[in-house]
Amino acid sequence: MTTTIQDLVKRNPYFASLPDRGLAFVASQANERNYERGDYLSLEGEPAQWCGFIVEGQVKLVKHSDTGKDLVLDVLGPDRFIGITSVLEEGPWTATAQAMEFTRVLVFDRGDFLHLLGNYPAACLALIADLSRRLEEAYNMMRSLALERVERRVAINLVKLAGKVGLARADGSILIDLPLTRQDIADMSGTTI
């Protein structure tokens, strides 16, 4: 059975409550893009002309410093949106987004997405809820970076990843099935290896 763009839109929490006519409209505005592992979806500082949600794969959001040190802000998986704040603010990308594995994204041009939000208040409410969760995660990350020891920050980030992308195994353990390097984990935890 082939999954249509409308099926992918319907499963996304932003749009799941829309009527069929609304789902069809949202699907008509979306374009699919595919990225291989290591490909950049966006580069920090460049103009943000689109946003979209991940259909398949994992994307890491990275902030670069002038000294060459990176901080992984988040790892986003299926149904998570990318580029929302940059598109809403009409500003540049605030972080670099890089595919951690083969990734499919349904993309909306900035103008189309704003038009869509204007016509579907339920999507706006879902957007607000998602941005609120992300703000809380950012507050927790700032607290952790300022107050926690490195070992605890690493543990917190591994637990967070397990909750997002972990696969429960028969022995009760959780597998984080991502191509993570030691450097990725250090970058998530605001430390060096």
Side-chain angles (χ1 to χ4, degrees), residues 23-90:
L23 291 169
F25 174 75
V26 172
S28 73
Q29 302 302 305
N31 294 300
E32 185 174 330
R33 291 187 188 169
N34 297 321
Y35 300 90
E36 297 298 325
R37 179 181 177 178
D39 286 351
Y40 292 100
L41 286 70
S42 64
L43 295 173
E44 182 177 357
E46 289 188 350
Q49 301 297 323
W50 62 272
C51 63
F53 68 88
I54 299 166
V55 172
E56 172 186 353
Q58 304 289 330
V59 174
K60 65 180 175 181
L61 299 180
V62 182
K63 286 291 277 185
H64 303 289
S65 74
D66 294 339
T67 62
K69 187 174 176 183
D70 293 339
L71 175 64
V72 175
L73 301 174
D74 205 350
V75 174
L76 305 176
D79 295 327
R80 295 290 305 272
F81 253 87
I82 181 170
I84 292 287
T85 54
S86 297
V87 162
L88 291 175
E89 293 176 354
E90 297 186 59

Side-chain angles (χ1 to χ4, degrees), residues 160-171:
K160 186 169 99 172
L161 275 176
K164 286 182 177 186
V165 300
L167 304 170
R169 299 186 342 182
D171 65 359

